Amino acid sequence: MFENKETTKLSSYGEFGLIDLLTKNVKPRRSSTLKGIGDDAAVLDLTAGKTVVTTDMLVEGVHFDIMFTPLKHLGYKSIVVNLSDVFAMNAMPSQVTVSIAVSSRYTVDALEELYAGMLMACEQYNVDLVGGDTTSSMSGLMISVTAIGMAAEKDIVYRNGAKNRHLLCVSGDLGGAYMGLQVLEREKAVFKENPEIQPDLSGYDYVVERQLKPEARKDVAEMLKDLQIQPTAMIDVSDGLASEVIHICKQSKVGCKLFEERIPVDHNTNKACEEFNLNPSSAALNGGEDYELLFTVKPEDYEKIKGHTEIYPIGHITDVEGRYELIPPNGESVELTAQGWNAFGNQE
Ligand code: ADP
Ligand code: MG
């Protein structure tokens, strides 16, 4: 499908030669990076605030399909999903480390593409790549990224601060990334049947981009600061809205009411859902990988967000611990259940 050009074999480079090649364009730009790549460890000056640290691992065949994932996009996404977790703490990311395990099936050129995408994300979000590890794998590619960020202690937002009557808000439309994945899976199946047929993604740009090149919501923290709102709980939407709402409620020991018609879904996502005969709300609730921020605010902040084009109130918190309600447009409330992404359930 998306051909990754194949020329230089990995075996023609030693480990050190490969690390040098991949990191030759890395230049630290933040003053908190005292020493980046090149020594036994990076040295950071994180004394300006509290430090947040988060790690995410991406495994070929589990989290991504190399048949339809261009490596540059994969590199970009592997950084972005980690930064999203830092933003979800209301912190600012400053450094990342990247560890890769790679099989000899990959070429040096492919890894250069991967790194080009990673470095593009580092530049876009102004973070330094300060280290990592490189090793071989018996099968496929694994990428583990650790992101480090900072925040003033008073600004950090946990998942456990939501209280009765707080409003549940989301920063953007949902379900798009999931529909992008459906389109890519379909084109892969067509291609496998008949390799003469090239994938046709025209008309699906929006959802495919949501899947392949997500962005982390760096701007939301600034937006909320400008509005003088401190969220009471926050999480990023990586596994689908339903499970993220439930995470906040569980940790906050509360319940919620979520209004189905309030869940923002882009018209491109709606269009794709229609074609695939899927319910847009299900795509939003159970799809995942949209990397929007889900947060709660105090009721008195409603005036500040009312009419704001990038903050969507979708429901509210209740004091009935453990009761998670989804209210359909004209219907009786149903129980909100989290299907989400099950890391151990998909291999059968
Ligand atoms: P060590 O043997 O001490 O672990 P390495 O040879 O693995 O050192 O790494 C040398 C330097 O290159 C270190 O600064 C390390 O952080 C960095 N590095 C190694 N692999 C990667 C990678 N995949 N991406 C970014 N930096 C890396
Ligand atoms: Mg090492």
Side-chain angles (χ1 to χ4, degrees):
M1 280 179 66
F2 300 107
E3 293 292 323
N4 291 306
K5 61 179 169 154
E6 297 210 7
T7 43
T8 321
K9 285 213 169 335
L10 265 186
S11 52
S12 60
Y13 274 77
E15 181 193 334
F16 301 128
L18 182 63
I19 296 172
D20 282 348
L21 180 76
L22 296 179
T23 60
K24 67 174 191 285
N25 293 323
V26 174
K27 284 181 208 74
R29 58 198 121 215
R30 302 196 65 123
S31 54
S32 59
T33 307
L34 304 184
K35 175 73 190 179
I37 291 169
D39 214 307
D40 298 311
V43 181
L44 310 178
D45 177 3
L46 303 174
T47 47
K50 297 293 175 205
T51 307
V52 301
V53 183
T54 177
T55 298
D56 255 315
M57 183 144 80
L58 296 178
V59 176
E60 182 178 346
V62 179
H63 302 100
F64 60 90
D65 187 334
I66 213 68
M67 274 277 283
F68 55 68
T69 310
L71 284 159
K72 203 174 196 168
H73 289 70
L74 181 62
Y76 193 89
K77 183 169 174 175
S78 66
I79 300 292
V80 161
V81 301
N82 277 274
L83 302 185
S84 178
D85 280 320
V86 176
F87 293 128
M89 299 303 290
N90 206 27
M92 278 295 152
S94 46
Q95 286 85 15
V96 291
T97 64
V98 172
S99 297
I100 56 171
V102 59
S103 80
S104 55
R105 176 158 66 74
Y106 283 80
T107 62
V108 170
D109 310 72
L111 294 184
E112 283 191 284
E113 280 288 293
L114 181 77
Y115 268 71
M118 288 183 183
L119 294 180
M120 198 186 268
C122 288
E123 193 178 333
Q124 174 72 27
Y125 290 91
N126 191 23
V127 301
D128 291 339
L129 173 59
V130 296
D133 201 19
T134 309
T135 183
S136 56
S137 112
M138 297 305 284
S139 76
L141 173 65
M142 274 161 269
I143 307 166
S144 172
V145 176
T146 296
I148 295 161
M150 263 193 308
E153 189 168 9
K154 66 173 178 37
D155 290 338
I156 294 177
V157 179
Y158 297 92
R159 294 177 178 182
N160 66 5
K163 300 220 155 55
N164 188 25
R165 298 180 57 244
H166 288 191
L167 299 169
L168 261 173
C169 305
V170 67
S171 62
D173 66 275
L174 302 172
Y178 179 73
M179 292 318 297
L181 183 61
Q182 301 313 302
V183 171
L184 289 163
E185 298 271 12
R186 179 179 70 184
E187 293 306 312
K188 177 183 167 181
V190 171
F191 178 80
K192 273 183 136 175
E193 278 285 302
N194 185 353
E196 302 287 289
I197 303 178
Q198 279 304 301
D200 179 14
L201 301 176
S202 54
Y204 301 107
D205 312 26
Y206 181 76
V207 292
V208 168
E209 183 157 336
R210 288 293 270 174
Q211 168 60 223
L212 292 180
K213 193 170 175 288
E215 300 290 351
R217 296 304 304 266
K218 180 187 178 136
D219 52 319
V220 171
E222 277 151 31
M223 198 160 75
L224 291 172
K225 238 178 217 119
D226 287 347
L227 294 168
Q228 297 187 313
I229 295 173
Q230 169 81 353
T232 53
M234 187 149 66
I235 188 169
D236 67 327
V237 184
S238 53
D239 295 336
L241 179 63
S243 74
E244 314 303 6
V245 168
I246 292 173
H247 280 312
I248 285 186
C249 288
K250 278 203 170 137
Q251 296 223 8
S252 301
K253 301 189 163 54
V254 293
C256 67
K257 281 191 195 218
L258 188 61
F259 298 94
E260 193 179 344
E261 84 249 37
R262 290 300 197 101
I263 301 172
V265 175
D266 188 85
H267 68 97
N268 287 292
T269 306
N270 273 320
K271 216 171 72 191
C273 284
E274 216 168 282
E275 214 182 300
F276 281 79
N277 214 359
L278 287 170
N279 180 346
S281 304
S282 306
L285 286 164
N286 306 314
E289 294 201 287
D290 292 305
Y291 299 102
E292 295 296 337
L293 293 175
L294 172 73
F295 53 92
T296 53
V297 302
K298 293 181 180 150
E300 56 264 36
D301 286 330
Y302 179 65
E303 286 303 315
K304 300 179 193 163
I305 58 167
K306 200 171 76 181
H308 198 288
T309 52
E310 279 180 273
I311 301 178
Y312 301 86
I314 55 172
H316 61 83
I317 299 295
T318 69
D319 58 4
V320 195
E321 184 177 348
R323 177 140 192 221
Y324 316 126
E325 293 179 70
L326 177 69
I327 324 281
N330 307 308
E332 296 270 299
S333 106
V334 293
E335 193 192 338
L336 183 69
T337 52
Q339 291 167 9
W341 161 249
N342 178 356
F344 299 102
N346 279 32
Q347 270 112 352
E348 280 97 290

